[in-house]
Amino acid sequence: MQDLLKTYAPIALEDMKSLRLMNRMDTKFVTTRGKLFRLLELARPYYSIQQVDGKRVASYYTLYFDTPELSMFRCHVSGRANRQKLRIRSYMDNHLSYLEVKTKDNHGRTCKQRTEMPDFDATRPLPTICFTEDDETCKAYVPFLRSYLRYDPQTLHQLIENQFDRITLVNHARTERVTIDTHLCFHHLLNDHRRQLDDYVIIEIKRDGLLPSSMTELLRQLRIKPLGFSKYCIGLIITDPSLRYNLFKPRIHQLERLCPGTRLIPFPHSMTPKPTDYTS
């Protein structure tokens, strides 16, 4: 894989600033590592690859928050179009972390607001982060959250973390960014369950509106179909099988069919563990 990535023309991080796409249309696809190599071969004439300090695969860390009632999770799994997520996203290779509010509207557009967290260390995240006026570490971020988040910051608690590796491709016209995520690993912070999804690859096309996309045509050629994959929701479901996720069940079954023999939900219903207490 590394040898193939070296054949791509590089694009530096500073050249990506004109392609931030903070208000964009996103389309996600899920495939397997077996198909990824072929896709990267086909995409080479149309895309450059982001390179940072000589590295073409970047390491990411994400920490997600929710209310005790899992309001953000439940909005997503119930199919609500207008919804939000709150996370800390860390770019491990350049030691940058941001507190991010992601809002998806009724028209399918994703808007992201973020503020840098210079004191956050993804290699040693704090066991408890509270967005209250009494918390000296995080109280500075309360005004940001009150400006962009629909939920009371004081009710939020950290819930699940994940890590993954990302390849970022940019088309030559600089109108589209494609992220390719591999080696997904999830850790539920309340019940300490961990899961790795090494066989899955998450592809996301990010563009300002429905502009032409070479990647869309290549994915169609390889019979890789659009399939929603929320790292937050999927991560919670596969690390806490006691959660109810009825509307997500068809998606879970689609994911399992991509990798025959893979069971994303580790326990049959008759063996479902005691529900995780999210209100304590």
Side-chain angles (χ1 to χ4, degrees), residues 1 28-40 179-184 197-204 215 218-220 222-229 254-260 262:
M1 182 74 70
K28 289 184 179 178
F29 302 77
V30 184
T31 187
T32 62
R33 290 184 61 81
K35 282 192 174 182
L36 176 57
F37 189 88
R38 180 58 180 155
L39 176 64
L40 290 172
T179 59
I180 301 171
D181 297 342
T182 62
H183 301 114
L184 280 79
L197 301 183
D198 287 332
D199 293 331
Y200 289 91
V201 175
I202 315 303
I203 301 166
E204 187 168 11
M215 183 60 68
L218 297 176
L219 291 166
R220 184 180 295 115
L222 294 175
R223 298 184 180 179
I224 299 173
K225 300 178 180 180
L227 178 61
F229 190 105
Q254 283 181 281
L255 291 169
E256 289 178 334
R257 285 195 293 271
L258 285 175
C259 296
T262 298

Side-chain angles (χ1 to χ4, degrees), residues 111-261:
C111 182
K112 184 168 68 175
Q113 303 291 342
R114 69 180 187 178
T115 184
E116 189 174 354
M117 298 186 75
D119 297 327
F120 183 80
D121 184 355
T123 64
R124 292 180 297 175
L126 296 173
T128 56
I129 295 177
C130 299
F131 297 108
T132 66
E133 300 292 349
D134 299 328
D135 190 309
E136 292 297 327
T137 304
C138 293
K139 69 178 184 179
Y141 304 105
V142 173
F144 166 80
L145 293 176
R146 292 198 184 281
S147 296
Y148 298 109
L149 193 67
R150 302 170 189 149
Y151 304 92
D152 183 354
Q154 297 186 83
T155 67
L156 304 173
H157 63 280
Q158 56 201 71
L159 188 54
I160 190 168
E161 59 185 358
N162 72 33
Q163 298 184 54
F164 56 92
D165 293 332
R166 170 167 288 182
I167 300 165
T168 300
L169 305 180
V170 181
N171 68 340
H172 298 323
R174 303 289 194 270
T175 58
E176 174 188 65
R177 184 168 71 242
V178 179
T179 59
I180 301 171
D181 297 342
T182 62
H183 301 114
L184 280 79
C185 179
F186 299 91
H187 175 214
H188 196 300
L189 297 170
L190 299 187
N191 61 29
D192 202 33
H193 288 177
R194 300 174 186 267
R195 292 294 302 276
Q196 288 188 222
L197 301 183
D198 287 332
D199 293 331
Y200 289 91
V201 175
I202 315 303
I203 301 166
E204 187 168 11
I205 299 176
K206 306 173 184 183
R207 47 187 166 155
D208 188 5
L210 297 176
L211 298 174
S213 167
S214 299
M215 183 60 68
T216 299
E217 295 303 317
L218 297 176
L219 291 166
R220 184 180 295 115
Q221 180 179 332
L222 294 175
R223 298 184 180 179
I224 299 173
K225 300 178 180 180
L227 178 61
F229 190 105
S230 162
K231 294 186 184 71
Y232 173 54
C233 293
I234 297 295
L236 269 186
I237 290 169
I238 68 175
T239 56
D240 186 359
S242 68
L243 283 177
R244 298 179 64 86
Y245 59 96
N246 290 339
L247 291 178
F248 249 53
K249 284 182 180 178
R251 190 167 305 174
I252 293 293
H253 295 326
Q254 283 181 281
L255 291 169
E256 289 178 334
R257 285 195 293 271
L258 285 175
C259 296

